């Protein structure tokens, strides 16, 4: 192989590529500008959509609300939820008329009063952001109710609630902002380089193949 001829062909091809405006745009402009805009723009859009979904009132269906009067009354006064009547909650959830459905067991109140565990079932659509968030809000509401029931039971038995948490764990991040910035950059930069390398080389490969033909 004649290295001089290879060198001449290489510089000739590089010169032709750099003269092509479309190749320059695909090599430089698209990877440097478009991909960061897509990545950070999509992240900002998702955060905005999540915040908007969190502010909306969630229409829900409650099945067997009379079985849990205390908890059902909390749901009624909670401004995050709107209890709507729907016979077919599965179809309503599928059609996005509601964000979630609750079902209290028939012996809910009796089991709570007897000191036993009662059952609550949450129906939601994990593929929908609003439904997923409604499920999370309901879960937090029930956890708060559960804590209040536990506190009341401990009072009856004259047991201090602090006994349930013998160890308190505190976490403190000592990494400076510069180090955290470098950490997140190290997570995204390799993927960016891979995408830019593939995209930047693709048009040159197409041009070389077409030119050889």
């Amino acid at each position: 192989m004649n290295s001089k001829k290879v060198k001449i062909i290489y510089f000739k091809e590089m010169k032709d590529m750099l003269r092509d405006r479309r190749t320059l745009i695909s090599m430089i402009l698209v990877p440097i500008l478009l991909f960061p805009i897509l990545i950070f723009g999509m992240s900002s859009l998702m955060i905005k959509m999540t915040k908007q979904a969190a502010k909306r009132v969630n229409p829900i269906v409650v099945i067997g609300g009379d079985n849990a009067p205390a908890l059902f009354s909390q749901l009624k006064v909670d401004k995050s939820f709107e209890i709507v009547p729907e016979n077919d909650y599965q179809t309503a959830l599928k059609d996005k008329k509601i964000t979630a459905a609750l079902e209290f067991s028939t012996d809910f109140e009796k089991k709570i009063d007897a000191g036993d565990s009662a059952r609550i079932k949450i129906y939601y659509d994990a593929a929908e952001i609003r439904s997923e968030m409604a499920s999370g809000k309901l879960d937090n509401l029930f956890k708060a109710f559960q804590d209040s029931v536990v506190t009341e039971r401990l009072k009856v038995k004259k047991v201090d609630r602090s006994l349930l948490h013998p160890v308190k764990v505190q976490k403190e991040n000592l990494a400076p902002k510069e180090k955290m910035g470098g950490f997140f950059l190290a997570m995204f930069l390799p993927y960016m380089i891979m995408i830019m390398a593939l995209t930047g080389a693709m048009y040159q490969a197409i041009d070389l193949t077409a030119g050889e033909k």
Side-chain angles (χ1 to χ4, degrees), residues 7-34:
K7 190 176 179 181
I8 292 171
I9 294 170
Y10 172 77
F11 281 111
K12 183 258 180 188
E13 293 292 343
M14 288 297 296
K15 190 175 180 181
D16 290 341
M17 287 181 190
L18 294 175
R19 282 179 178 177
D20 189 0
R21 185 181 297 176
R22 289 176 299 178
T23 304
L24 290 175
I25 290 173
S26 65
M27 287 173 58
I28 301 172
L29 191 62
V30 171
I32 292 176
L33 295 179
L34 185 60

Side-chain angles (χ1 to χ4, degrees), residues 61-163:
V61 171
V62 178
I63 304 166
D66 296 335
N67 301 328
L71 194 50
F72 188 49
S73 61
Q74 289 186 26
L75 282 169
K76 285 181 178 179
V77 298
D78 195 324
K79 294 182 180 179
S80 300
F81 302 102
E82 179 188 1
I83 300 174
V84 296
E86 283 286 347
N87 295 325
D88 189 357
Y89 65 87
Q90 293 184 354
T91 304
L93 189 61
K94 185 179 179 181
D95 296 338
K96 301 180 183 180
K97 293 180 180 179
I98 61 172
T99 54
L102 297 175
E103 184 180 0
F104 296 99
S105 59
T106 54
D107 53 355
F108 186 90
E109 194 72 15
K110 292 179 181 178
K111 284 197 172 184
I112 293 295
D113 293 338
D116 294 332
S117 298
R119 182 181 60 83
I120 303 174
K121 202 165 186 179
I122 303 175
Y123 301 96
Y124 71 102
D125 187 351
E128 292 291 332
I129 295 176
R130 286 192 64 193
S131 184
E132 180 75 28
M133 294 186 70
S135 173
K137 287 182 178 180
L138 289 170
D139 197 27
N140 292 333
L141 180 67
F142 298 148
K143 282 180 181 177
F145 176 77
Q146 181 175 259
D147 289 341
S148 66
V149 171
V150 170
T151 303
E152 191 62 32
R153 289 178 179 177
L154 291 175
K155 281 183 180 179
V156 172
K157 297 187 181 224
K158 296 181 180 180
V159 178
D160 190 358
R161 188 179 174 84
S162 61
L163 293 174

Side-chain angles (χ1 to χ4, degrees), residues 43-56 129 133:
S43 300
S44 301
L45 182 63
M46 287 298 296
I47 292 171
K48 186 177 180 181
M49 289 176 63
T50 304
K51 287 182 178 179
Q52 288 178 350
K55 292 179 181 179
R56 293 177 182 174
I129 295 176
M133 294 186 70

